[in-house]
Amino acid sequence: MNSDLLAGELGEGHMETVEKSLGRAPKPPEQECTNRIERVRRFLSDAQFDALLVFGSAGSLPEPARYLAGYVHVFPTASSFLLIPVAGDPLLLIDQGWHLDEARSMSWIQDIRVFPNANRRWLYDEMRTVLHGALRERGLERARIAIVESELPVVYWRALREAAPAAMFEEGKLIWERIVATPSEYDQAMVRRTAQIADLGHAAAVEAADAGVPEFEVCFAAYRAMASLGAEFLHGSGFSTHVNIGSFSQAISNVRPFLFTSRRLEPGQMFWFDLTCSWAGYYNDCCRTIAIGEPTPERRRIFDICLEMYETMLQAVRPGVPGGEIWTRGYEVAERARLADKINHVYLGHTTGIATSVRPVIARGEIVEIQPNSFVNIEPGIFLPGVGSASIESMLWVGESETEVINQFSVELHVK
């Protein structure tokens, strides 16, 4: 892949950059915004819910508010409630009153209000009153409401139940997962562009990697390449562009607490390089393997088995197949090689694109089936502390009749 040519094709997105510099997230086309709300309403009606209520914050669950309302939380502890009734206008509540004008500029939700942050205990009664008024205005005091939340504080739960004691608040994650698994044509185009930016980030990392180069320099090279094309680095959000290098990792996973250090790469190392690119509210998660110098036969075997897992799982991905079955195909390859206890212990893939990761995931026992016309990742990895590690991760488009690999940067072992 010619990275210079790719960078030229993508350009810098001038208008998008201007919007972001003003503190606003660029909006999708008007029809796309309308269609997102209508899609939610169809899914709610199918499940016999009266409304969807999403609690979000930058630190725990920012994606639904961004996708369904165009709102980006301004810092980690900022939070929001998004209410989408089957009948009636949506309502966005944010707890940062000073950010109200910016919220109205970036969101397509017409009714945006401020609610008191209930972590300030003296404002609890006022918050409960605001929630009660919002539900009453939409006729939802006795409604069946699907709620999507990741880390809703207990005090918020209490306020909701007291605001509408006759309402039924039920698990709504399946609604959000269904949204992620049914991307629009606009979503598909945006996810593909995000993958192109991620590929350029990987190319930059491989180019920078060499003996004596600190880990952070490799990672900064990827950051620079992606930043130049508009990758998003959100304030305190885990759902943001980031890279993770495993040259010294002793963990059995391509996830660890520290993304990179000042440790210098050493001849003979073989390791994974994991990258998540966030762009325009979309995501691409991918991983490649780098060797500093020609790997030993033992390290080459680790990579070859990982590649065999990847190719076997790729052949298994199709609509209607449970995530657990795809996991089993990869696991069997590692088991035959007597490395089953050294594979990635998080999972071997996940549904992605509109969100970083939702079900169905590629994990032992996952019964949820892969949906047609959705984006899915596969990410087999093998980790032998003290020897070497390999991981290959790509985004796939699961069509009605065929599966397409979206990331185009080579899955080969990149030897420097």
Side-chain angles (χ1 to χ4, degrees):
M1 181 179 66
N2 187 319
S3 58
D4 292 336
L5 177 60
L6 175 57
E9 290 176 350
L10 289 174
E12 293 189 7
H14 175 69
M15 290 308 297
E16 177 185 292
T17 298
V18 170
E19 287 291 287
K20 289 179 180 177
S21 70
L22 295 173
R24 297 192 290 259
K27 294 179 183 177
E30 184 176 348
Q31 190 58 52
E32 171 68 16
C33 300
T34 300
N35 290 345
R36 292 179 185 183
I37 301 299
E38 291 307 312
R39 197 154 95 243
V40 170
R41 287 172 169 157
R42 288 198 306 273
F43 295 160
L44 289 170
S45 295
D46 290 346
Q48 299 184 325
F49 283 109
D50 299 302
L52 179 72
L53 181 64
V54 176
F55 173 80
S57 71
S60 60
L61 193 67
E63 296 153 315
R66 173 78 178 266
Y67 185 76
L68 298 175
Y71 181 64
V72 177
H73 300 90
V74 70
F75 58 84
T77 59
S79 58
S80 64
F81 280 104
L82 173 63
L83 179 65
I84 303 178
V86 171
D89 294 332
L91 169 64
L92 176 63
L93 299 171
I94 66 172
D95 68 354
Q96 303 299 314
W98 60 272
H99 199 233
L100 187 59
D101 287 343
E102 284 82 358
R104 287 172 173 161
S105 296
M106 70 172 91
S107 178
W108 51 85
I109 303 299
Q110 296 299 307
D111 191 353
I112 305 179
R113 309 177 195 175
V114 176
F115 75 93
N117 188 317
N119 287 319
R120 300 169 183 173
R121 305 289 177 166
W122 62 92
L123 297 177
Y124 176 83
D125 290 342
E126 186 178 343
M127 176 186 175
R128 181 181 55 194
T129 299
V130 171
L131 292 174
H132 172 76
L135 295 169
R136 177 175 50 79
E137 287 176 21
R138 267 59 178 182
L140 298 173
E141 291 173 288
R142 298 178 177 275
R144 182 171 180 247
I145 300 172
I147 185 164
V148 178
E149 49 77 27
S150 178
E151 297 177 359
L152 184 64
V154 172
V155 67
Y156 284 62
W157 266 117
R158 177 185 163 199
L160 273 174
R161 295 187 182 282
E162 291 181 0
M168 293 182 291
F169 295 98
E170 300 182 26
E171 177 62 68
K173 286 184 180 178
L174 290 177
I175 300 294
W176 174 238
E177 289 167 2
R178 190 173 176 188
I179 292 166
V180 175
T182 54
S184 67
E185 289 186 4
Y186 175 83
D187 294 330
Q188 294 170 36
M190 299 295 274
V191 170
R192 288 172 184 273
R193 176 163 176 168
T194 307
Q196 288 182 301
I197 297 172
D199 284 342
L200 188 60
H202 264 301
V206 169
E207 185 176 350
D210 208 345
V213 176
E215 286 187 330
F216 69 80
E217 292 286 5
V218 179
C219 296
F220 287 177
Y223 280 137
R224 181 182 180 84
M226 292 186 288
S228 72
L229 298 172
E232 295 180 341
F233 300 84
L234 304 178
H235 189 172
S237 176
F239 299 89
S240 184
T241 298
H242 70 272
V243 292
N244 195 354
I245 187 170
S247 70
F248 74 89
S249 177
Q250 298 296 307
I252 311 292
S253 168
N254 61 345
V255 178
R256 67 178 192 195
F258 305 104
L259 299 178
F260 48 82
T261 73
S262 60
R263 175 168 176 164
R264 296 181 183 275
L265 303 184
E266 300 174 10
Q269 287 182 328
M270 186 181 78
F271 53 88
W272 48 266
F273 186 85
D274 195 5
L275 181 156
T276 298
C277 179
S278 172
W279 179 78
Y282 295 89
Y283 301 90
N284 180 257
D285 192 7
C286 48
C287 198
R288 296 294 184 262
T289 305
I290 301 172
I292 306 301
E294 189 61 35
T296 63
E298 183 179 16
R299 293 186 180 111
R300 173 64 73 170
R301 177 174 178 267
I302 292 171
F303 177 80
D304 288 344
I305 294 167
C306 184
L307 181 60
E308 184 181 353
M309 290 176 67
Y310 174 86
E311 293 173 341
T312 301
M313 293 168 65
L314 178 59
Q315 293 300 314
V317 175
R318 59 185 184 277
V321 177
E325 183 175 326
I326 300 167
W327 180 90
T328 298
R329 297 293 172 266
Y331 178 84
E332 288 173 345
V333 172
E335 188 175 41
R336 288 195 297 271
R338 298 183 180 179
L339 289 172
D341 62 336
K342 303 300 182 183
I343 65 172
N344 191 348
H345 288 351
V346 180
Y347 43 41
L348 300 183
H350 49 88
T351 301
T352 189
I354 293 172
T356 47
S357 177
V358 301
R359 295 181 69 187
V361 295
I362 312 303
R364 184 197 298 267
E366 171 64 278
I367 61 173
V368 179
E369 298 176 352
I370 303 298
Q371 296 301 304
N373 302 318
S374 66
F375 290 102
V376 174
N377 273 34
I378 54 173
E379 53 177 316
I382 298 177
F383 307 88
L384 269 69
V387 179
S389 59
S391 184
I392 304 170
E393 178 180 18
S394 292
M395 173 183 279
L396 314 176
W397 170 250
V398 185
E400 297 282 354
S401 58
E402 61 181 0
T403 298
E404 173 192 0
V405 180
I406 301 302
N407 288 105
Q408 294 300 299
F409 190 62
S410 175
V411 299
E412 69 183 7
L413 176 58
H414 297 276
V415 179
K416 297 302 300 289

